[in-house]
Amino acid sequence: MKRRTGQDTSITRSWRPATQAVRGGTARSEFGETSEALFLTSGYAYDCAADAAARFAGEQVGMTYSRLQNPTVEMLERRIALLEGAEACRSMATGMAAMTAVLLCQLQTGDHVVAGRAAFGSCRWLTDTLLPKFGIATTIVDARDPQQFADAVQPNTKVFFFETPANPTMDIVDLKAVCDIARANGIVSVVDNAFATPALQRPMEFGADVTAYSATKMMDGQGRVLAGAVCGTEKFINDTLLPFTRNTGPTLSAFNAWVVLKGLETLDLRIRRQSENAMKVGAFIEGRVPRTLHPGLPSHPQHNLAMAQMDACGPIFAFEVEGGRKQAHGLLDALQLVDISNNIGDSRSLMTHPASTTHYGVAEEKRLEMGVTENLLRLNVGLEDPEDVIADLDQALSAVGL
Ligand SMILES: Cc1ncc(COP(=O)(O)O)c(C=O)c1O
């Protein structure tokens, strides 16, 4: 029976990551389906009113309402937690819902956050615009330098928030050094691990308290759905995050959870192949443009650190042209195979000009401080044959005189 329902956690916890990606967290229904069931239901029926009351009182195990629990969503949460090596995970409707929830659930007026300068535009909006509205101050630091985190600590600092690799400049944060500073000061370290995913980098092994994801990226990996997730200790997820998400409702739909479950089955294969492809494409681009920011290439100033923290470089890198927006847009417009698209983590190769898309909403002087210049382009290398991607880039670079 255990074998059919697949719920014996004393066995499943010991599975290796490749096994977790395919089977972790699965809970079979009475039909014994092999592929995870999709439970499209908003509510749950009770045998009697006393059962309903007992479930709401937490005295009876069971589900009450899909804003709070759903069998398909819970399978995804268990699977991500197992891959992450975290005690618990809560999924969200989008990556930004995850980032918003992970900050607001633990901060209050008077608190202080230290955040990495290079970050996805909307993450910068959270730290620079949303938090101050609630009287929460942020110090922005160059996260490549751990000392800047240490120097920014105040008695009221509650959270360190950063991404590594960072979107889109591929800055790398020394996870161990920064998480050690957080620990020593009783600060919660929150790492946005969207670019690497647990398949390539597990921040908790370096001392991170919480990891947060846009699962829209590599976890779905095929450009189909939006999703997010937050991983941490059971205490953090249940006592700090859950009261916030249960009542504010950034819940992931069961359908999207099911799609991401399917995505996770192939995450390891995809991310490793895309990393290999990104190495080939990066080596080609490097010879053609003035500057390439690719953590897998020795020319990246933090290459050694990146490779010490990550199992492979991941599918995303950035590079600079020399003729500003006109040349950057010209290059995008000349592409024939690679799509002009601001998503990442897709199995298709996609390219964007961050200054006019993903970071359009960040004030120009902040953008420039982050290194998001008019010359910068970001490329997500997909699963196509890298020689075809290189041929497309070759002709597009030639078209703009590079
Ligand atoms: C590093 C990073 N964090 C968060 C997000 C937000 O994720 P979502 O688009 O799923 O809300 C993104 C999206 O591009 C991202 O790149």
Side-chain angles (χ1 to χ4, degrees), residues 94-97 99-100 103 115-128 140 161-171 192-195 213-214 216-217 226 342-344 352 354 357-362 366-367 370 372 378:
T94 65
M96 285 322 300
M99 303 307 153
T100 307
L103 292 174
R117 185 166 71 191
F120 175 52
S122 294
C123 292
R124 280 297 300 262
W125 185 86
L126 293 183
T127 52
D128 298 3
I140 299 292
F161 180 50
F162 57 92
E163 340 177 333
T164 183
N167 186 358
T169 48
M170 308 307 292
D171 287 5
D192 180 339
N193 197 33
F195 271 41
Y213 287 97
S214 167
T216 314
K217 313 301 180 210
L226 298 178
N342 45 284
N343 196 18
I344 45 174
T352 198
T357 58
T358 53
H359 291 69
Y360 172 74
V362 181
K366 284 186 190 166
R367 267 206 315 260
M370 289 163 79
V372 181
R378 190 194 64 197

Coordinates of all heavy atoms in Angstrom, one line a residue, residues 94-97 99-100 103 115-128 140 161-171 192-195 213-214 216-217 226 342-344 352 354 357-362 366-367 370 372 378:
T94 N 3.4 33.6 -8.6 CA 4.5 34.0 -9.5 C 5.7 34.2 -8.6 O 5.7 34.1 -7.4 CB 4.2 35.4 -10.0 OG1 4.1 36.4 -8.9 CG2 2.8 35.5 -10.8
G95 N 6.8 34.4 -9.3 CA 8.1 34.7 -8.6 C 7.9 35.9 -7.8 O 8.4 36.0 -6.6
M96 N 7.3 37.0 -8.3 CA 7.2 38.2 -7.6 C 6.3 38.1 -6.4 O 6.5 38.7 -5.4 CB 6.7 39.4 -8.5 CG 7.8 39.9 -9.4 SD 9.5 40.0 -8.7 CE 9.3 41.1 -7.4
A97 N 5.3 37.2 -6.5 CA 4.4 37.0 -5.3 C 5.3 36.3 -4.2 O 5.2 36.7 -3.0 CB 3.3 36.0 -5.7
M99 N 8.6 36.7 -3.8 CA 9.5 37.8 -3.3 C 8.8 38.7 -2.3 O 9.3 39.1 -1.3 CB 10.2 38.5 -4.4 CG 11.0 37.7 -5.4 SD 12.2 36.6 -4.7 CE 12.2 35.3 -5.9
T100 N 7.6 39.1 -2.7 CA 6.8 40.1 -1.9 C 6.5 39.4 -0.6 O 6.6 40.0 0.5 CB 5.5 40.5 -2.7 OG1 5.9 40.9 -3.9 CG2 4.8 41.5 -1.9
L103 N 9.4 38.9 1.9 CA 9.8 40.1 2.6 C 8.7 40.6 3.6 O 9.0 40.8 4.8 CB 10.1 41.2 1.6 CG 11.4 40.9 0.7 CD1 11.5 42.0 -0.3 CD2 12.6 40.8 1.6
A115 N 20.1 44.9 0.7 CA 19.8 44.2 -0.5 C 20.8 44.4 -1.6 O 21.5 45.4 -1.6 CB 18.4 44.7 -1.1
G116 N 21.0 43.4 -2.4 CA 22.0 43.5 -3.5 C 21.6 44.5 -4.6 O 20.4 44.6 -4.9
R117 N 22.6 45.2 -5.1 CA 22.3 46.2 -6.1 C 21.8 45.6 -7.4 O 20.8 46.1 -8.0 CB 23.6 47.0 -6.3 CG 23.5 48.2 -7.2 CD 24.7 49.1 -7.0 NE 25.8 48.5 -7.7 CZ 27.1 48.9 -7.5 NH1 27.3 50.0 -6.7 NH2 28.1 48.4 -8.1
A118 N 22.5 44.6 -7.9 CA 22.1 44.0 -9.2 C 21.0 43.1 -8.9 O 21.2 42.1 -8.1 CB 23.3 43.3 -9.8
A119 N 19.8 43.3 -9.4 CA 18.7 42.5 -9.1 C 17.6 42.7 -10.2 O 17.7 43.7 -11.0 CB 18.1 42.9 -7.8
F120 N 16.7 41.8 -10.3 CA 15.6 41.9 -11.3 C 14.9 43.2 -11.0 O 14.7 43.6 -9.8 CB 14.7 40.7 -11.1 CG 13.5 40.7 -12.0 CD1 13.5 41.0 -13.3 CD2 12.2 40.5 -11.4 CE1 12.4 41.1 -14.1 CE2 11.1 40.6 -12.1 CZ 11.1 40.9 -13.5
G121 N 14.4 43.9 -12.0 CA 13.8 45.2 -11.8 C 12.7 45.3 -10.8 O 12.7 46.2 -10.0
S122 N 11.8 44.3 -10.8 CA 10.7 44.3 -9.9 C 11.2 44.0 -8.4 O 10.6 44.5 -7.5 CB 9.6 43.3 -10.2 OG 9.1 43.7 -11.5
C123 N 12.3 43.3 -8.3 CA 12.8 43.1 -6.9 C 13.4 44.4 -6.4 O 13.2 44.7 -5.2 CB 13.9 42.0 -7.0 SG 13.2 40.3 -7.3
R124 N 14.0 45.2 -7.3 CA 14.5 46.5 -6.9 C 13.3 47.4 -6.5 O 13.4 48.2 -5.6 CB 15.3 47.1 -8.0 CG 16.8 46.7 -8.0 CD 17.6 47.0 -6.8 NE 17.7 48.4 -6.5 CZ 18.8 49.1 -6.8 NH1 19.8 48.6 -7.4 NH2 18.8 50.4 -6.4
W125 N 12.2 47.2 -7.2 CA 11.0 48.0 -6.9 C 10.5 47.7 -5.5 O 10.1 48.6 -4.7 CB 9.9 47.8 -7.9 CG 8.7 48.7 -7.7 CD1 8.5 49.9 -8.2 CD2 7.5 48.4 -6.9 NE1 7.3 50.4 -7.7 CE2 6.7 49.5 -7.0 CE3 7.1 47.2 -6.2 CZ2 5.4 49.5 -6.3 CZ3 5.9 47.3 -5.6 CH2 5.1 48.4 -5.6
L126 N 10.6 46.4 -5.1 CA 10.1 46.0 -3.8 C 11.0 46.7 -2.7 O 10.5 47.3 -1.8 CB 10.3 44.5 -3.6 CG 9.4 43.6 -4.4 CD1 9.6 42.1 -3.9 CD2 7.9 43.9 -4.1
T127 N 12.3 46.6 -2.9 CA 13.2 47.2 -1.9 C 13.2 48.7 -1.9 O 13.3 49.4 -0.9 CB 14.6 46.7 -2.0 OG1 15.1 46.8 -3.4 CG2 14.7 45.2 -1.7
D128 N 13.1 49.3 -3.1 CA 13.3 50.7 -3.2 C 12.0 51.5 -3.1 O 12.0 52.7 -2.7 CB 13.9 51.1 -4.6 CG 15.3 50.5 -4.8 OD1 15.8 49.7 -3.9 OD2 15.9 50.8 -5.8
I140 N 21.2 49.6 -0.1 CA 21.6 48.8 -1.3 C 23.1 48.7 -1.4 O 23.8 49.7 -1.2 CB 21.0 49.5 -2.6 CG1 19.5 49.6 -2.6 CG2 21.5 48.8 -3.9 CD1 18.8 48.3 -2.7
F161 N 18.8 40.4 1.4 CA 18.1 39.9 0.2 C 18.9 40.1 -1.0 O 19.3 41.2 -1.3 CB 16.8 40.7 0.1 CG 15.8 40.4 -1.0 CD1 15.5 39.0 -1.3 CD2 15.3 41.4 -1.8 CE1 14.6 38.7 -2.3 CE2 14.5 41.1 -2.9 CZ 14.1 39.7 -3.1
F162 N 19.2 39.0 -1.7 CA 20.1 39.1 -2.9 C 19.8 37.9 -3.8 O 19.3 36.9 -3.4 CB 21.5 39.2 -2.5 CG 22.0 38.1 -1.7 CD1 22.6 37.0 -2.3 CD2 22.0 38.1 -0.3 CE1 23.1 35.9 -1.5 CE2 22.4 37.0 0.5 CZ 23.0 35.9 -0.1
E163 N 20.3 38.1 -5.1 CA 20.2 37.1 -6.1 C 21.6 36.7 -6.5 O 22.5 37.6 -6.5 CB 19.5 37.5 -7.4 CG 18.7 38.6 -7.3 CD 18.0 39.1 -8.6 OE1 18.6 38.9 -9.7 OE2 17.0 39.7 -8.5
T164 N 21.9 35.4 -6.8 CA 23.2 35.0 -7.4 C 23.0 33.8 -8.2 O 22.4 32.8 -7.8 CB 24.2 34.8 -6.3 OG1 25.5 34.5 -6.9 CG2 23.9 33.7 -5.3
P165 N 23.3 33.8 -9.5 CA 23.7 35.0 -10.3 C 22.6 36.0 -10.4 O 21.4 35.6 -10.4 CB 24.1 34.4 -11.7 CG 24.3 33.0 -11.5 CD 23.4 32.6 -10.3
A166 N 23.0 37.3 -10.5 CA 22.0 38.3 -10.5 C 21.5 38.7 -11.9 O 22.3 38.7 -12.8 CB 22.5 39.6 -9.8
N167 N 20.3 39.1 -12.0 CA 19.6 39.5 -13.2 C 19.8 41.0 -13.5 O 19.3 41.7 -12.7 CB 18.2 39.1 -13.1 CG 17.4 39.3 -14.4 OD1 17.9 39.7 -15.4 ND2 16.1 38.9 -14.4
P168 N 20.4 41.4 -14.6 CA 20.9 40.6 -15.7 C 22.5 40.6 -15.8 O 23.0 40.1 -16.7 CB 20.4 41.4 -16.9 CG 20.5 42.8 -16.4 CD 20.3 42.8 -14.9
T169 N 23.2 41.2 -14.8 CA 24.6 41.5 -15.0 C 25.4 40.3 -14.6 O 26.7 40.3 -14.7 CB 25.0 42.7 -14.2 OG1 24.5 42.6 -12.9 CG2 24.5 44.0 -14.8
M170 N 24.8 39.2 -14.1 CA 25.5 38.0 -13.7 C 26.5 38.2 -12.6 O 27.5 37.5 -12.5 CB 26.2 37.4 -14.9 CG 25.2 37.2 -16.1 SD 23.7 36.3 -15.7 CE 24.3 34.6 -15.4
D171 N 26.3 39.2 -11.7 CA 27.1 39.4 -10.5 C 26.9 38.1 -9.7 O 25.8 37.6 -9.6 CB 26.6 40.5 -9.6 CG 26.9 41.9 -10.2 OD1 27.4 41.9 -11.4 OD2 26.6 42.9 -9.6
D192 N 17.4 34.8 -3.7 CA 16.7 34.5 -4.9 C 17.5 33.6 -5.8 O 18.5 34.1 -6.4 CB 16.3 35.9 -5.6 CG 15.5 35.7 -6.9 OD1 15.5 34.6 -7.4 OD2 14.9 36.7 -7.3
N193 N 17.2 32.4 -5.9 CA 18.0 31.3 -6.6 C 17.4 31.0 -8.0 O 17.6 29.9 -8.4 CB 18.1 30.1 -5.7 CG 19.2 29.2 -6.0 OD1 20.3 29.6 -6.5 ND2 19.0 27.9 -5.8
A194 N 16.7 31.9 -8.6 CA 16.0 31.6 -9.8 C 16.9 31.2 -11.0 O 16.6 30.3 -11.8 CB 15.1 32.8 -10.2
F195 N 18.0 31.9 -11.1 CA 18.9 31.6 -12.2 C 19.6 30.2 -12.1 O 19.8 29.6 -13.2 CB 20.0 32.6 -12.3 CG 19.7 33.9 -13.1 CD1 18.4 34.4 -13.0 CD2 20.6 34.4 -14.0 CE1 18.1 35.5 -13.8 CE2 20.2 35.6 -14.7 CZ 19.0 36.1 -14.6
Y213 N 12.1 31.6 -5.2 CA 12.1 31.3 -6.7 C 11.1 31.9 -7.5 O 9.9 32.0 -7.1 CB 12.0 29.8 -6.9 CG 13.2 29.0 -6.4 CD1 13.2 28.4 -5.2 CD2 14.3 28.9 -7.2 CE1 14.3 27.7 -4.7 CE2 15.4 28.2 -6.8 CZ 15.4 27.6 -5.6 OH 16.5 27.0 -5.2
S214 N 11.5 32.3 -8.7 CA 10.6 32.4 -9.8 C 10.6 31.0 -10.4 O 11.6 30.7 -11.1 CB 11.0 33.5 -10.8 OG 10.2 33.3 -12.0
T216 N 8.7 30.1 -12.7 CA 8.4 30.4 -14.1 C 9.6 30.1 -15.0 O 9.5 29.8 -16.2 CB 8.2 32.0 -14.2 OG1 7.3 32.4 -13.2 CG2 7.6 32.3 -15.6
K217 N 10.8 30.3 -14.4 CA 12.1 30.2 -15.2 C 12.4 28.7 -15.4 O 11.7 28.0 -16.0 CB 13.2 31.0 -14.5 CG 12.7 32.4 -14.0 CD 12.3 33.2 -15.2 CE 11.8 34.6 -14.7 NZ 10.8 35.2 -15.5
L226 N 3.4 30.8 -15.0 CA 4.1 31.6 -14.0 C 3.9 30.8 -12.7 O 2.9 30.2 -12.4 CB 3.4 32.9 -13.9 CG 3.5 33.8 -15.1 CD1 2.8 35.1 -14.8 CD2 4.9 34.1 -15.5
N342 N 11.7 38.6 -23.1 CA 12.3 38.9 -21.8 C 12.2 37.8 -20.8 O 12.6 37.9 -19.6 CB 11.7 40.2 -21.2 CG 10.2 40.2 -21.3 OD1 9.7 40.5 -22.4 ND2 9.5 39.9 -20.3
N343 N 11.7 36.6 -21.2 CA 11.6 35.5 -20.3 C 13.0 34.8 -20.3 O 13.8 35.1 -21.2 CB 10.6 34.5 -20.6 CG 10.3 33.5 -19.5 OD1 10.6 33.8 -18.3 ND2 9.6 32.4 -19.8
I344 N 13.3 34.0 -19.3 CA 14.5 33.3 -19.2 C 14.2 31.8 -18.7 O 13.1 31.6 -18.3 CB 15.6 33.9 -18.2 CG1 14.9 34.3 -16.9 CG2 16.3 35.0 -18.9 CD1 15.8 34.8 -15.9
T352 N 17.0 39.6 -24.7 CA 16.4 40.9 -24.4 C 17.4 42.0 -24.2 O 18.6 41.7 -23.9 CB 15.4 40.7 -23.2 OG1 14.5 41.8 -23.2 CG2 16.1 40.7 -21.9
P354 N 17.8 44.5 -21.5 CA 17.2 44.8 -20.2 C 16.9 46.3 -19.9 O 15.8 46.6 -19.3 CB 18.3 44.3 -19.2 CG 19.0 43.3 -20.0 CD 19.0 43.7 -21.4
T357 N 13.5 46.8 -21.2 CA 12.4 45.8 -20.9 C 12.4 45.5 -19.4 O 11.8 46.2 -18.7 CB 12.6 44.6 -21.8 OG1 13.9 44.0 -21.5 CG2 12.5 44.8 -23.2
T358 N 13.2 44.5 -19.0 CA 13.1 44.0 -17.6 C 13.5 45.1 -16.6 O 13.0 45.0 -15.4 CB 14.0 42.8 -17.4 OG1 15.3 43.2 -17.9 CG2 13.5 41.6 -18.2
H359 N 14.3 46.0 -17.0 CA 14.8 47.1 -16.0 C 14.3 48.5 -16.5 O 14.8 49.5 -16.0 CB 16.3 47.0 -15.9 CG 16.7 45.7 -15.1 ND1 16.6 44.5 -15.7 CD2 17.2 45.5 -13.9 CE1 17.0 43.6 -14.8 NE2 17.3 44.2 -13.7
Y360 N 13.3 48.5 -17.3 CA 12.7 49.8 -17.8 C 12.2 50.6 -16.6 O 12.4 51.8 -16.6 CB 11.6 49.5 -18.8 CG 10.8 50.7 -19.2 CD1 11.4 51.6 -20.1 CD2 9.5 50.9 -18.7 CE1 10.7 52.7 -20.4 CE2 8.8 52.0 -19.0 CZ 9.4 53.0 -19.9 OH 8.7 54.1 -20.3
G361 N 11.7 49.9 -15.6 CA 11.1 50.7 -14.5 C 12.1 51.2 -13.5 O 11.7 51.8 -12.5
V362 N 13.3 50.8 -13.6 CA 14.3 51.2 -12.6 C 14.9 52.6 -13.1 O 15.3 52.7 -14.3 CB 15.5 50.2 -12.5 CG1 16.5 50.6 -11.5 CG2 14.9 48.8 -12.2
K366 N 20.0 54.5 -11.2 CA 20.2 53.2 -10.5 C 20.5 52.1 -11.5 O 21.3 51.2 -11.2 CB 18.8 52.8 -9.9 CG 18.6 53.6 -8.6 CD 17.4 53.1 -7.9 CE 16.9 54.1 -6.8 NZ 15.6 53.8 -6.3
R367 N 19.9 52.2 -12.7 CA 20.3 51.2 -13.7 C 21.7 51.2 -14.0 O 22.4 50.1 -14.1 CB 19.5 51.5 -15.0 CG 18.2 50.8 -15.2 CD 17.8 50.7 -16.6 NE 17.9 51.8 -17.5 CZ 16.9 52.6 -17.8 NH1 15.7 52.4 -17.4 NH2 17.2 53.6 -18.7
M370 N 23.9 49.7 -11.4 CA 23.8 48.2 -11.5 C 24.6 47.6 -12.6 O 24.7 46.4 -12.7 CB 22.3 47.8 -11.7 CG 21.4 48.0 -10.6 SD 19.6 47.9 -11.1 CE 19.4 46.2 -11.2
V372 N 23.4 48.1 -15.8 CA 22.4 47.8 -16.9 C 22.5 49.0 -17.8 O 21.7 50.0 -17.8 CB 21.0 47.6 -16.3 CG1 20.0 47.4 -17.5 CG2 21.0 46.5 -15.4
R378 N 20.9 40.5 -22.7 CA 20.9 39.2 -21.9 C 20.4 38.1 -22.8 O 19.3 38.3 -23.5 CB 20.0 39.4 -20.7 CG 20.1 38.3 -19.7 CD 19.0 38.3 -18.7 NE 17.7 38.1 -19.4 CZ 16.5 38.4 -18.9 NH1 16.4 38.9 -17.7 NH2 15.4 38.1 -19.5

